[in-house]
Amino acid sequence: MNINTKKYIEQFIKIRNKQSEIVPLKLNKPQQRLYDEIKRQKQLNKPVRIIILKARQMGFSTLTESIIFKDTVTHFNVNSGIVAHKDDSTNNLFNMSKLMYECLPQELKPNKKASNAKELVFDKEDGTGLKSKIKVMTAGGDGIGRSDTFNNLHISEYAFWGKNKKEQLIGLLQSVPNLPNTMIIIESTANGFDDFKDMWDKAVNKENDFVPLFIGWNELDEYSMPYNGFEFTTEEQELKLLYNLTDEQLAWRRWCIKNNCDGNIEYFNQEYPICPEEAFLSTGECIFDKKLIIKRIEELRKRKEPIKQGSFVYDFHNNVISNIRWIDDPKGIIKIYQKPRPNIQYGIGGDTAGEGSDKFAGQVIENFTGKQVAVLWGKIDEDLYAKQMYCLGRYYNIALLGIEANFSSYPIKELQKYRYPKQYVREKEDKITGRKEKSYGFKTTLVTRPVIIAELVRILREEIDNINDIPTLEEALTFIRNEKGRPEAQQGKHDDLIMALAIAYRIMEQVNAKMIMSDKPFIKI
């Protein structure tokens, strides 16, 4: 970003404030954080790509419009696009840009051509001017942005764009070249677990080039009011400690819940989140305690976890896996939260990529403590999944492996071929003879499923400190009770990690059986 951008904005940009006064734009703390991130990416000579999850009325649209305006009116051939979620918001953003132009000192005003559309075209009538423009559009229009090429694109309140928003966004993103002088800002308050949530998660997990920027309500100074000495609830005391809130901030929070959110704490959490998980509320009834899960996620974010991430490599010949080694990889499918301890037994629950799922999962649990010590999760072929689970099991003192057998028994059979020494054994009845037979793998049935889910609900209520993996906890937030009362992943979400974890805890009943043990690690990493 040009070093003078902030000075230009604060010296020449005028806005209409919440009191309807025309005033100079002075950056508040949240706006300064956004400005700093844009500046950082510009200085790295990178295309600016930011996705913002925010509380209401933080001023991000105002700052984004001012940066776009400054870039457009001070350079030749700059096309900027702004897309709002509804007509009145489109009008507001267009009028904001018009006001910025009208309030510029005369010597800084570029020539402006007349336009009937919601466009500010900065050019002379004979075409010898800047040839730059700002175009403001409403989501839902036919082919919005498809005929344009933009240097700057602001996607406002994306979560509220309505039907076909993903297709519209994909079309718009193609209109911005992947060049250092371009900028895309996607910002929104949350609206449940939708495509905006998916895009946010991908940014957090570094699956795209957008930098995630979350700003909680507590970062805006004006969300504060005099404290009159009321007694804090347990929840307020925990929030005060966790986020270092002042009495005055908690006074404003209590006032806002009562007066602006109809006394509904979940409305407040969605409109004024203090962490990302509060913003994305399940549309159904979450079967787990959401407050405990969110608190645990916030605690984990302050830690340097996992201690290792990557996958195993090995030699493979004639169904024999040997010479197992570990390779570090920040995008690896295995996360290690605690290395195996000598003479400790472990169990690993596995969920295969079946119906409604596109990833394989494995959860490693330590016996006695019940601590989650490692997680395997990723898109991977079945044979490679079996090999990674083999290595993971050997690494954790030849852990008991219990892989779900509902959709595919292939990984279980592969482990038999590799002669893995300890798989979970279940009993099944022969349909012809009625005799009980033993088979490898865990079967999720109408009988076993409610049992393992109920036990996981108890664990996440009473022993949540044993869970160390944020993606697992995030999956728990979208595991709801449907209209028929059946616990399941919310529509469009997955339960790979949850089911693998539930299976891992269930199979621990067999861990106490005689197991191959060692006082030295089988694999060093």
Side-chain angles (χ1 to χ4, degrees):
M1 179 182 298
N2 188 309
I3 193 69
N4 295 317
T5 295
K6 185 178 177 182
K7 288 184 179 179
Y8 180 98
I9 289 171
E10 295 194 333
Q11 187 171 351
F12 301 121
I13 296 294
K14 298 288 198 309
I15 62 168
R16 193 181 306 275
N17 66 13
K18 294 178 182 179
Q19 292 76 39
S20 296
E21 302 166 330
I22 307 301
V23 298
L25 173 56
K26 301 296 182 183
L27 272 58
N28 60 32
K29 290 179 181 177
Q31 288 172 329
Q32 185 63 53
R33 279 192 58 192
L34 173 57
Y35 181 90
D36 290 343
E37 177 56 34
I38 295 172
K39 182 177 179 180
R40 184 189 71 83
Q41 294 186 38
K42 285 282 188 180
Q43 289 176 337
L44 292 172
N45 198 35
K46 296 174 61 176
V48 174
R49 301 292 184 266
I50 302 173
I51 183 168
I52 304 169
L53 172 62
K54 63 188 179 66
R56 288 178 61 85
Q57 301 294 313
M58 306 295 277
F60 291 122
S61 289
T62 302
L63 177 62
T64 302
E65 270 28 296
S66 70
I67 292 173
I68 286 175
F69 179 84
K70 186 265 179 183
D71 190 44
T72 310
V73 301
T74 59
H75 294 91
F76 289 94
N77 303 312
V78 172
N79 284 346
S80 300
I82 300 166
V83 188
H85 65 301
K86 56 183 181 178
D87 287 336
D88 60 347
S89 296
T90 301
N91 291 332
N92 290 338
L93 294 176
F94 182 63
N95 290 333
M96 184 188 296
S97 295
K98 282 178 62 179
L99 180 63
M100 290 177 187
Y101 179 78
E102 291 166 1
C103 292
L104 276 181
Q106 194 61 40
E107 63 272 18
L108 296 181
K109 282 185 179 179
N111 292 98
K112 180 169 71 76
K113 292 175 65 174
S115 174
N116 293 324
K118 282 188 168 54
E119 292 182 335
L120 292 174
V121 181
F122 303 109
D123 199 6
K124 294 180 180 180
E125 293 298 330
D126 62 1
T128 59
L130 288 180
K131 296 186 179 65
S132 295
K133 71 176 180 180
I134 297 174
K135 183 176 182 179
V136 186
M137 300 159 279
T138 303
D142 292 336
I144 56 169
R146 283 191 172 271
S147 61
D148 294 286
T149 299
F150 294 118
N151 303 88
N152 305 297
L153 181 63
H154 176 203
I155 304 296
S156 178
E157 292 294 357
Y158 175 57
F160 297 86
W161 275 23
K163 295 180 180 179
N164 302 319
K165 63 185 175 186
K166 185 172 184 177
E167 290 77 6
Q168 291 181 67
L169 180 63
I170 289 173
L172 282 163
L173 294 179
Q174 313 313 309
S175 69
V176 184
N178 187 39
L179 297 172
N181 64 339
T182 62
M183 179 175 76
I184 301 176
I185 305 290
I186 301 174
E187 51 88 4
S188 188
T189 46
N191 187 27
F193 288 80
D194 64 346
D195 184 60
F196 175 64
K197 171 68 162 62
D198 292 339
M199 193 166 187
W200 170 264
D201 288 344
K202 288 176 181 177
V204 170
N205 295 326
K206 295 182 172 56
E207 295 175 21
N208 59 38
D209 289 337
F210 281 84
V211 173
L213 184 64
F214 172 77
I215 312 291
W217 68 264
N218 55 312
E219 298 183 56
L220 186 63
D221 289 340
E222 69 180 71
Y223 289 159
S224 177
M225 64 193 314
Y227 169 63
N228 62 12
F230 61 81
E231 186 175 346
F232 294 120
T233 65
T234 300
E235 179 191 34
E236 288 169 334
Q237 290 172 349
E238 290 176 350
L239 285 171
K240 185 175 184 179
L241 184 64
L242 193 57
Y243 298 101
N244 197 29
L245 301 181
T246 66
D247 294 347
E248 290 72 22
Q249 287 176 308
L250 286 169
W252 176 85
R253 179 180 181 271
R254 183 177 284 200
W255 170 87
C256 188
I257 292 170
K258 179 180 178 181
N259 294 281
N260 289 1
C261 301
D262 196 31
N264 189 316
I265 183 65
E266 293 204 344
Y267 288 161
F268 177 83
N269 289 342
Q270 179 167 301
E271 300 295 323
Y272 300 95
I274 201 167
C275 66
E277 288 68 35
E278 275 194 351
F280 298 109
L281 298 175
S282 306
T283 56
E285 178 191 353
C286 181
I287 72 165
F288 302 105
D289 189 320
K290 288 192 290 187
K291 289 182 181 179
L292 288 177
I293 293 171
I294 290 170
K295 181 182 177 184
R296 181 60 177 163
I297 288 173
E298 284 301 288
E299 291 171 349
L300 292 173
R301 281 208 174 101
K302 297 177 181 179
R303 300 183 181 182
K304 293 181 179 179
E305 302 274 3
I307 60 174
K308 284 276 188 180
Q309 184 165 357
S311 60
F312 293 100
V313 292
Y314 42 80
D315 296 337
F316 184 70
H317 183 66
N318 290 335
N319 289 323
V320 175
I321 296 175
S322 62
N323 192 24
I324 300 171
R325 297 95 67 199
W326 173 267
I327 54 170
D328 288 317
D329 180 356
K331 294 184 179 181
I333 63 170
I334 298 176
K335 294 179 181 178
I336 304 293
Y337 293 99
Q338 180 181 293
K339 293 183 178 182
R341 297 190 292 159
N343 298 314
I344 296 295
Q345 297 174 335
Y346 295 87
I348 305 179
D351 185 67
T352 57
E355 292 180 6
S357 172
D358 61 0
K359 290 185 179 181
F360 285 91
Q363 296 274 10
V364 187
I365 302 299
E366 184 179 79
N367 195 24
F368 299 122
T369 67
K371 184 176 292 185
Q372 179 193 41
V373 296
V375 177
L376 181 157
W377 189 45
K379 294 181 179 181
I380 185 173
D381 293 335
E382 279 192 288
D383 63 318
L384 297 180
Y385 171 66
K387 291 181 176 71
Q388 288 295 320
M389 289 287 274
Y390 177 96
C391 297
L392 190 62
R394 290 195 65 90
Y395 175 61
Y396 279 97
N397 299 342
I398 307 188
L400 175 69
L401 287 183
I403 298 176
E404 188 180 45
N406 286 51
F407 299 106
S408 173
S409 60
Y410 181 81
I412 296 168
K413 291 176 180 177
E414 287 295 285
L415 287 166
Q416 287 179 266
K417 275 201 244 178
Y418 309 153
R419 297 183 181 179
Y420 187 79
K422 198 69 180 179
Q423 287 201 69
Y424 176 80
V425 178
R426 74 182 190 278
E427 285 189 344
K428 69 175 184 178
E429 186 177 286
D430 186 283
K431 293 181 180 180
I432 298 175
T433 66
R435 288 182 300 185
K436 297 287 186 180
E437 297 180 347
K438 292 186 176 182
S439 296
Y440 289 132
F442 186 89
K443 198 82 169 181
T444 305
T445 67
L446 292 174
V447 175
T448 63
R449 191 178 190 277
V451 174
I452 65 174
I453 295 300
E455 176 61 8
L456 190 59
V457 169
R458 184 197 67 78
I459 290 168
L460 264 64
R461 183 182 66 247
E462 299 177 5
E463 304 170 20
I464 197 167
D465 287 351
N466 279 334
I467 308 302
N468 293 308
D469 183 58
I470 289 177
T472 299
L473 292 166
E474 289 176 333
E475 243 188 37
L477 288 173
T478 59
F479 201 81
I480 66 170
R481 201 175 303 281
N482 67 16
E483 294 177 354
K484 296 181 179 179
R486 183 180 188 269
E488 64 181 14
Q490 185 175 319
Q491 186 174 4
K493 299 299 172 182
H494 303 300
D495 59 8
D496 321 272
L497 293 168
I498 287 298
M499 294 308 298
L501 187 64
I503 291 169
Y505 281 113
R506 180 62 176 177
I507 68 171
M508 297 303 285
E509 64 187 9
Q510 283 188 16
V511 167
N512 290 322
K514 186 178 180 180
M515 298 185 67
I516 297 172
M517 293 294 296
S518 173
D519 59 356
K520 295 181 181 180
F522 287 92
I523 305 165
K524 292 183 179 181
I525 69 171

